[in-house]
Amino acid sequence: MDPEVISNFLVEQREAAPENLLQNFLDIEEYWDRKLWHQLTDTLITYYRDPASSSQRLPLFRRFILSFAEKINQLKFVSLGLSAATQCSDDRERLTFLTDLTEKVNKPSSQDAYVYSLVAASEVKLRLQDYDDARKDLNKAESILDTFDSVETEVHASFYRTNASYYQAKHDFAAYYKNALLYLACIDLKTLTNDDAQARAYDLSVAALISDSIYNFGELLLHPILDSLASTEHDWLRELLFAFNRGDLAAYNVLENNISKCSLLEEHKTFLWQKISLSALTEAVFRRPPHDRAMTFSTISRETHVQPEEIEILIMKALSLGLLKGSIDQVAEIAKINWVQPKVLDMKQIDNMRVRLKDWDSSVNQLGHWIEGVGKDVWAA
């Protein structure tokens, strides 16, 4: 493009620029004139981040930034493009814009930028409910990401966020849970608004509860994102997660009335009862010392509130899921458990462990005194 045409265009844009951004625009003109591409790129990124620049983003990108796109960092080029895309009139126009942007950076030297742009295009396809094409783009992005030794966290964050959105739309709750947590690991939580943090925590909590393959909520329970639900209208959901983690049937019964507030939880209400029963079973086993984990069916029924005729199925389910290891004596109706899956403990569970350790310490002391008493002559010799 003719430098004079660009120069005239920049003058027009400077006159239209908000007063608080006028100095930034003067810097943009100076850096462009002096061909200081790095400084120009960073100044443009700062300019684009200001909400007041919204009306100028698309024209600046199309008539100015594209003229030197090959000379600047391609990842930053895509970042500017994504910011400009927010000003497209609708998702159809946005998808066309992002598709062109993706093709521009599809080069061996800029595969990180290509992935970044490809994922952004797939996010728009998800909003347009073109799930098949979105999945193809995400699979392609993932295969490229797997070849990188390292990549900017913003690229990974974008991929995990969009991948999570895909799985949420497809109701694959375990995959959503995994990718949503990976996304949160890539960002600074302070960059999320309160509403965004609460929405993430809410969706993660629901996914953890209704997934048929997630029985250990430790990573979520320890994550600060969950605190965003505290003292809000969704605080009950946070409490429900902790109740499931400790197999607290009494707490579940108190919180159960809130389940109707979430349609997904309401649809899975029967499954939730089965899941809390499994949690109650593992908690009952965990509370017992290792040498006292042969439990009768009647004991398990009493502690899990499951009907006696369904106890064997409950134990078999726990064994098949890897929550417990052991065997069942069907004739004697006894479950002999030798291992229980570790999980995050709350303060009450930690206190129970403290009591068990004190009992163990007392038993060791008693054994020591007994050995000392019986073997006096041996010790003397």
Side-chain angles (χ1 to χ4, degrees), residues 111-341:
Q111 286 295 283
D112 55 345
Y114 173 66
V115 168
Y116 197 23
S117 186
L118 184 64
V119 168
S122 70
E123 188 172 14
V124 177
K125 290 178 181 179
L126 285 179
R127 290 201 295 271
L128 294 171
Q129 298 185 356
D130 186 358
Y131 298 120
D132 290 341
D133 272 0
R135 186 66 261 163
K136 289 176 184 176
D137 288 348
L138 290 168
N139 287 343
K140 187 186 298 182
E142 185 173 24
S143 66
I144 297 172
L145 281 172
D146 287 342
T147 66
F148 293 152
D149 292 328
S150 63
V151 68
E152 294 292 334
T153 54
E154 62 187 308
V155 179
H156 265 135
S158 174
F159 171 75
Y160 289 131
R161 184 188 67 245
T162 307
N163 215 25
S165 296
Y166 171 82
Y167 286 121
Q168 187 177 31
K170 302 300 284 186
H171 282 197
D172 187 337
F173 299 110
Y176 165 76
Y177 181 84
K178 174 186 175 183
N179 281 273
L181 283 174
L182 286 169
Y183 163 65
L184 292 176
C186 293
I187 65 168
D188 182 353
L189 293 183
K190 294 176 182 176
T191 61
L192 296 177
T193 65
N194 287 336
D195 288 344
D196 286 343
Q198 288 177 24
R200 288 283 170 190
Y202 183 91
D203 290 340
L204 273 166
S205 300
V206 171
L209 289 168
I210 62 181
S211 169
D212 60 4
S213 60
I214 301 173
Y215 289 84
N216 191 331
F217 310 142
E219 194 170 359
L220 178 56
L221 294 177
L222 293 173
H223 203 291
I225 193 74
L226 198 58
D227 294 335
S228 64
L229 296 181
S231 303
T232 69
E233 61 180 319
H234 303 306
D235 190 42
W236 63 270
L237 187 57
R238 179 175 173 273
E239 295 301 320
L240 189 61
L241 269 178
F242 279 100
F244 266 77
N245 185 62
R246 62 179 181 265
D248 192 337
L249 293 169
Y252 176 80
N253 291 332
V254 171
L255 296 165
E256 186 180 12
N257 292 334
N258 292 291
I259 288 176
S260 59
K261 296 177 182 177
C262 175
S263 58
L264 276 173
L265 292 180
E266 183 67 23
E267 289 173 21
H268 293 80
K269 196 169 183 178
T270 301
F271 171 74
L272 289 175
W273 172 250
Q274 296 170 352
K275 197 167 186 175
I276 190 71
S277 299
L278 284 167
S279 185
L281 171 60
T282 58
E283 180 64 19
V285 174
F286 178 77
R287 286 198 303 264
R288 293 170 175 267
H291 63 272
D292 186 26
R293 287 182 174 171
M295 303 172 66
T296 64
F297 284 14
S298 59
T299 299
I300 295 173
S301 177
R302 184 172 62 254
E303 299 207 22
T304 62
H305 298 181
V306 173
Q307 296 299 315
E309 61 273 15
E310 298 175 358
I311 293 300
E312 187 174 347
I313 296 174
L314 178 71
I315 299 169
M316 290 175 66
K317 182 72 172 177
L319 292 171
S320 67
L321 290 168
L323 303 178
L324 302 174
K325 290 181 181 178
S327 60
I328 302 174
D329 187 332
Q330 294 173 307
V331 177
E333 294 191 337
I334 293 175
K336 299 176 182 178
I337 309 301
N338 52 44
W339 180 88
V340 59
Q341 185 186 73

Side-chain angles (χ1 to χ4, degrees), residues 30-44:
E30 180 186 354
Y31 294 144
W32 175 75
D33 189 50
R34 295 171 59 188
K35 296 180 172 54
L36 299 175
W37 306 121
H38 174 72
Q39 292 89 333
L40 175 58
T41 306
D42 288 347
T43 305
L44 280 165

